[in-house]
Amino acid sequence: MSAQAPRIRRREAAVGEGWPATVPSLLRRIYAARGAHDLDAAQPKLAGLLPPDALSNIDAATELLAEAIASGERILVVGDFDCDGATACAVAVRGLRMLGARDIVHAVPNRITHGYGLSPALVESLVPVAPSLLVTVDHGIACHAGIRAAKALGWRVLVTDHHLPGTELPPADAIVNPNLPGDTFPSKMLAGVGVIFYVLMALRARLRGQGDARAADADLGSLLDLVAVGTVADLVTLDANNRALVSAGLRRLRARRGCAGLNALIEIAGRDAARLTAADIGFAIGPRINAAGRLEDMAIGIECLLSDDGAHARDLADTLHQINAERRAVQQSMLDDAEAAVAGHAPVDPASAGVCLFDAQWHPGVVGLVASKMKDALHRPVIAFAPAEPDSDQLRGSARSIPGLHIRDVLAAVDVAHPGLIERFGGHAMAAGLTLQRNCLEAFTEAFRATVEQMLDPALLRAEILTDGALRGEEFDIVHAAHLRDAGPWGQGFPEPQFDGEFAVVDWRVVGTRHLKLTLRLDGHPKPLSAIHFGGWREIAPAARERIVYRLAPDDYRGGDAVQLVIEHREPLGAF
């Protein structure tokens, strides 16, 4: 089973006037291709951050928090078991303490024991905590039963979330979510950590208006390192507002002014803090935090992010590092199983769509990664399922989609057409989660495939690679490579620059078991170019000449002025 070769298309960019001379022409072209036509749009600052006033229910939310702080009531923050949920929990706890909360505790569901979010099982386990106010971060909008259970105990509930709501809202005392119907907040792309940060900003403004001295001195900017990590790791679109938040957080981390836990994670991941990028967060920091929630207990990750003791934070970061190594081994084993299962099918019919995978031995905490990898390989929406716990008849699925297909809408359509088939679902356009019974898997698979085929334009089943065109010979140098690295933050909706060109393959060798190291030559460029293609060895030798999509990056291994091409895609010439 294989996907069609992707179509390579170059972005168009009309570069306007008014750029300062300090911005190289290459960056002006790249920014313009992403809709940023001046420096303010290209590099947004905190001064231009959207105010929180337009968020629905923000006044009700801050009133709940202000009353709990003033009366010394116990506030319970309930996080989620991914990086966004962990950083959001840490931001909430640190921020509320900063604003005067004297009795604040936190909890996070265990993926196996409690399931997702504020479930009735989690509420039952929290009865001894006896909070007056429960605050959810990065979840809650779909937790109807859990919120009803909390309300039945006399707890007030504040939901802060960014996931898309269903047709009915849960019975919370207040809900802050930029995606609520009728909400007028201009950015719908805040991560869960961004939502709680905005709630804290609004709470600080309320308390300052009341003459609270602690609020007057509270520096919420010290939380932006956590906001940046959660935002990047959750793969939300980096619109101008999110880029302002992430840029400010990266500046703190580069100056080693981040929290002890993040500083320790950067060190143990082998990253240079002074040159940290959003890609480092996405590929090195976020996965180590996420690993705790996938295989163990996210409480370890949250403890790391809340620790102010450097030695303790390093111990916890080391534990997360080891869990992540285990996660990678489990993931590779599951990927091998998935690829073997898919290989048993005939090649993909261009008209078919939608893939469901299941293995009774898979771990429910890693199915999202498997779905993502297989989606990339097949360019099809993929759902990977695993037993909710060993020998369980309940399955947990994680769905990943391709551009042009809103995966949560697909699940909603299946739910409407086949009531009761799905027990629970939620998510976004590109990612979603669901639970169903094992004996429903076959029926669900058929319904899912049929619904995808109804809702998806078949033309979208061929992947498209967007590039920023070709680099000129004089641009293959450390100056331009450093500009490209530092000009972000790059991420979802504001993609890292990649280029394409035709190269002669002068030499190549396999590195490890899966990677290719190549020496390339570009017509008209006097020097050979070093390139690396991670995961590029497929037991087929490179062609003599290839069209290559690549990123230009400083070669930190060789150091000095060395650069290398980090290859994203290769095709022999004549394959188009």
Side-chain angles (χ1 to χ4, degrees):
M1 195 175 195
S2 58
Q4 286 180 284
R7 179 187 302 108
I8 298 174
R9 183 167 66 85
R10 293 180 172 181
R11 295 184 178 90
E12 297 180 1
V15 181
E17 303 294 330
W19 288 92
T22 53
V23 181
S25 60
L26 175 61
L27 287 187
R28 298 180 198 185
R29 173 164 67 88
I30 288 167
Y31 283 142
R34 287 150 181 77
H37 296 287
D38 56 43
L39 192 60
D40 289 339
Q43 299 175 6
K45 301 293 190 292
L46 285 178
L49 210 60
L50 295 168
D53 310 36
L55 282 165
S56 297
N57 309 315
I58 194 69
D59 289 339
T62 57
E63 183 177 2
L64 284 170
L65 290 166
E67 289 177 353
I69 291 172
S71 60
E73 295 173 348
R74 172 164 289 179
I75 301 173
L76 168 63
V77 177
V78 179
D80 189 22
F81 41 58
D82 67 359
C83 186
D84 186 19
T87 53
C89 185
V91 164
V93 171
R94 287 181 176 274
L96 289 171
R97 285 176 181 163
M98 205 181 297
L99 293 170
R102 300 186 299 277
D103 187 359
I104 182 164
V105 293
H106 67 277
V108 63
N110 180 285
R111 188 185 294 267
I112 302 298
T113 307
H114 304 116
Y116 170 78
L118 188 69
S119 63
L122 179 59
V123 171
E124 183 179 356
S125 73
L126 294 172
V127 168
V129 178
S132 295
L133 174 63
L134 185 152
V135 181
T136 71
V137 291
D138 190 36
H139 73 282
I141 200 67
C143 300
H144 296 252
I147 291 172
R148 284 194 295 270
K151 295 286 292 178
L153 293 168
W155 306 348
R156 287 166 291 165
V157 178
L158 165 60
V159 168
T160 72
D161 199 356
H162 69 126
H163 295 92
L164 298 175
T167 54
E168 294 184 12
L169 298 178
D173 293 270
I175 302 173
V176 179
N177 183 333
N179 290 300
L180 286 178
D183 187 283
T184 59
F185 188 73
S187 172
K188 304 302 178 184
M189 305 303 175
L190 286 175
V193 68
V195 175
I196 188 61
F197 182 74
Y198 260 83
V199 170
L200 291 172
M201 285 198 296
L203 175 60
R204 180 178 63 178
R206 173 187 279 269
L207 296 176
R208 283 177 173 176
Q210 297 172 355
D212 189 301
R214 290 164 303 193
D217 296 333
D219 177 17
L220 296 180
S222 65
L223 304 174
L224 285 169
D225 56 335
L226 292 161
V227 175
V229 169
T231 299
V232 171
D234 212 47
L235 300 177
V236 294
T237 298
L238 293 189
D239 60 10
N241 205 63
N242 278 337
R243 293 206 314 281
L245 293 170
V246 173
S247 294
L250 279 170
R251 287 194 294 273
R252 293 191 66 87
L253 290 167
R254 289 168 182 160
R256 295 201 63 80
R257 293 168 58 212
C259 67
L262 289 180
N263 288 340
L265 284 166
I266 292 168
E267 180 180 351
I268 203 163
R271 295 306 196 265
D272 181 357
R275 294 184 292 185
L276 196 76
T277 66
D280 292 321
I281 292 174
F283 291 105
I285 311 306
R288 283 168 170 77
I289 299 172
N290 269 327
R294 294 188 188 281
L295 296 188
E296 299 282 345
D297 187 344
M298 184 50 88
I300 303 169
I302 295 172
E303 185 180 355
C304 181
L305 300 178
L306 287 174
S307 177
D308 292 321
D309 180 277
H312 182 53
R314 281 191 294 274
D315 288 343
L316 291 167
D318 183 65
T319 299
L320 293 172
H321 181 70
Q322 294 176 39
I323 296 171
N324 189 55
E326 180 186 355
R327 185 273 306 170
R328 292 176 68 177
V330 170
Q331 176 185 329
Q332 189 56 55
S333 174
M334 290 170 61
L335 276 173
D336 291 343
D337 291 343
E339 289 170 355
V342 169
H345 293 268
V348 172
D349 178 348
S352 72
V355 176
C356 290
L357 300 167
F358 167 70
D359 191 299
Q361 303 304 312
W362 283 355
H363 193 291
V366 188
V367 287
L369 298 173
V370 171
S372 181
K373 294 284 188 181
M374 296 307 297
K375 177 265 299 181
D376 290 342
L378 301 172
H379 197 68
R380 296 286 187 278
V382 173
I383 305 180
F385 289 95
E389 52 187 283
D391 301 320
S392 172
D393 288 331
Q394 186 183 67
L395 303 184
R396 292 204 182 128
S398 192
R400 297 294 183 270
S401 194
I402 59 175
L405 181 71
H406 196 301
I407 197 67
R408 188 193 175 280
D409 287 354
V410 171
L411 296 180
V414 172
D415 188 51
V416 169
H418 305 273
L421 192 60
I422 304 174
E423 292 184 354
R424 184 177 180 181
F425 69 94
H428 303 290
M430 301 300 287
L434 69 157
T435 60
L436 49 80
Q437 290 298 309
R438 185 168 179 171
N439 60 9
C440 295
L441 179 59
E442 183 176 351
F444 171 81
T445 299
E446 293 180 3
F448 174 70
R449 288 173 177 166
T451 305
V452 169
E453 289 176 2
Q454 290 172 5
M455 297 178 66
L456 180 64
D457 180 351
L460 297 176
L461 290 173
R462 183 179 182 186
E464 183 175 76
I465 299 176
L466 289 175
T467 81
D468 292 289
L471 283 178
R472 300 192 303 267
E474 66 271 17
E475 292 173 332
F476 287 92
D477 63 15
I478 189 64
V479 173
H480 288 87
H483 278 311
L484 292 168
R485 178 193 63 202
D486 299 335
W490 312 110
Q492 295 293 311
F494 205 75
E496 187 169 5
Q498 59 183 12
F499 309 93
D500 73 272
E502 297 179 1
F503 298 86
V505 179
V506 177
D507 192 17
W508 63 273
R509 59 187 171 89
V510 179
V511 178
T513 59
R514 304 172 67 88
H515 314 308
L516 271 182
K517 184 70 176 173
L518 303 98
T519 302
L520 307 175
R521 190 172 292 280
L522 177 69
D523 292 346
H525 190 268
K527 296 180 180 179
L529 297 164
S530 175
I532 182 77
H533 189 181
F534 294 110
W537 175 239
R538 299 181 182 88
E539 300 184 356
I540 300 175
R545 290 185 63 81
E546 294 195 334
R547 187 178 186 186
I548 293 175
V549 177
Y550 62 93
R551 293 181 289 108
L552 180 68
D555 190 336
D556 294 328
Y557 180 77
R558 289 190 292 161
D561 292 340
V563 300
Q564 69 175 350
L565 280 57
V566 181
I567 296 175
E568 300 292 345
H569 177 76
R570 300 174 14 250
E571 290 182 355
L573 283 179
F576 308 98

